[in-house]
Amino acid sequence: MLPGWFWVYACTSTDSNAPKSADADQDGFFSPEDCNDQDPTIFPGAIEIPGNDRDEDAARADAIDVTEIVRVIEKELRDGARRAGVDLGFQDVEIVLNLDESATADDIRALLKDLTEASPRLKAVDSDETGVPVPSFGLRAVGGECRVRFAGVPTGHEFTTLVLAVLQVGGYPPKIDEATNAQIRAIDGDLNFETFISLSCHNCPDVVQALNVMAVINPRIRSTMIDGAAFQAEVGKREIMAVPSVFLNGQLIGSGRMSLEEIL
């Protein structure tokens, strides 16, 4: 894997009913080692082309150029802010690590290494804070507090959520109207949102992003994304049957797609 790239899990087999020994596309590799046995251009060892939503080397992931994604999203936000006459005043952001020796923690370290190398405004720091999921990491402006947290590896559909959170914690204004902004600022009470997701969930990012915006705007709100695959014991304990599932102060308040307006 080249510096600045990481894997977005994307490859899924299209031949789930085929025998395990099949080589339907006759590329010399058999299912399930060949994760798409209907396409002869996808096989272990093929040249991986980053960013094309195809998993040529059958690693069950497409390589993505982190630096390019950060640049594109940052440019979009800058252009929007400029049109609105907003001074961005971007601050350095600390990524606060609460990790263990698990495989998930190793994947988090690898992802954040790529991300911090992509931007000089990001710095990873270790923490022994208690009362937070482990492994996880939080985001804070330097001198601030962590109100946005990711428990698990936010790749797949959640990578854009991570980049947006980094930029918004650093000072980029969320794309919401002033009335909604004021409504969020007026919330009086300590709210701790936990959103259980899966990396293949199409509806999860919108919910996590909405709650992250609330946490960025109101200092009494916390938002944590939890990858159910990495916290299966907690999923079983809470009897979670669908994603996204949103908990507020430990109580389930909703499942499925929800807009920011619906949450408010």
Side-chain angles (χ1 to χ4, degrees):
M1 181 167 64
L2 295 178
W5 293 5
F6 74 97
W7 304 117
V8 171
Y9 294 95
C11 184
T12 55
S13 176
T14 58
D15 63 333
S16 58
N17 295 320
K20 292 301 181 183
S21 60
D23 181 17
D25 57 10
Q26 298 184 347
D27 59 6
F29 293 88
F30 299 91
S31 174
E33 180 185 15
D34 184 346
C35 72
N36 188 339
D37 209 17
Q38 301 296 319
D39 188 336
T41 67
I42 294 177
F43 56 87
I47 296 174
E48 178 67 28
I49 302 172
N52 66 349
D53 292 326
R54 286 174 51 80
D55 177 22
E56 287 87 359
D57 64 357
R60 286 175 169 76
D62 179 32
I64 295 293
D65 187 335
V66 175
T67 306
E68 179 64 14
I69 290 180
V70 172
R71 186 192 67 78
V72 169
I73 294 179
E74 183 173 353
K75 181 180 184 301
E76 179 183 353
L77 290 175
R78 281 190 178 278
D79 289 347
R82 188 177 298 110
R83 288 192 296 270
V86 176
D87 180 12
L88 292 176
F90 187 71
Q91 307 173 59
D92 289 353
V93 172
E94 290 182 335
I95 304 174
V96 182
L97 308 177
N98 296 88
L99 303 179
D100 53 19
E101 301 305 317
S102 65
T104 297
D106 290 341
D107 290 340
I108 290 174
R109 290 185 184 96
L111 170 61
L112 297 182
K113 180 178 182 291
D114 285 342
L115 196 60
T116 54
E117 289 177 352
S119 173
R121 311 303 298 271
L122 303 179
K123 179 182 179 182
V125 297
D126 291 320
S127 170
D128 56 2
E129 179 183 356
T130 59
V132 299
V134 177
S136 70
F137 63 94
L139 304 176
R140 69 186 182 197
V142 175
E145 57 182 349
C146 293
R147 302 199 299 271
V148 174
R149 179 169 295 274
F150 295 86
V153 189
T155 53
H157 296 299
E158 293 295 346
F159 180 67
T160 298
T161 301
L162 170 60
V163 175
L164 284 171
V166 168
L167 295 171
Q168 290 166 353
V169 168
Y172 286 105
K175 292 183 177 180
I176 60 174
D177 58 64
E178 179 53 37
T180 302
N181 194 309
Q183 187 177 358
I184 295 171
R185 291 197 306 268
I187 294 174
D188 185 19
D190 295 322
L191 306 182
N192 180 30
F193 290 98
E194 299 166 293
T195 308
F196 284 79
I197 62 98
S198 73
L199 297 180
S200 60
C201 169
H202 291 273
N203 292 327
C204 293
D206 288 344
V207 176
V208 177
Q209 289 169 24
L211 294 170
N212 287 352
V213 164
M214 293 175 62
V216 167
I217 292 173
N218 189 319
R220 301 189 66 177
I221 297 175
R222 302 288 185 273
S223 172
T224 301
M225 182 216 81
I226 302 176
D227 178 10
F231 291 84
Q232 294 185 29
E234 193 66 22
V235 168
K237 177 182 176 182
R238 303 199 195 194
E239 300 181 341
I240 295 171
M241 304 300 294
V243 291
S245 285
V246 179
F247 289 76
L248 172 58
N249 296 340
Q251 299 297 315
L252 179 67
I253 63 168
S255 297
R257 187 167 187 169
M258 290 175 278
S259 66
L260 176 58
E261 291 72 23
E262 289 169 336
I263 294 171
L264 291 172

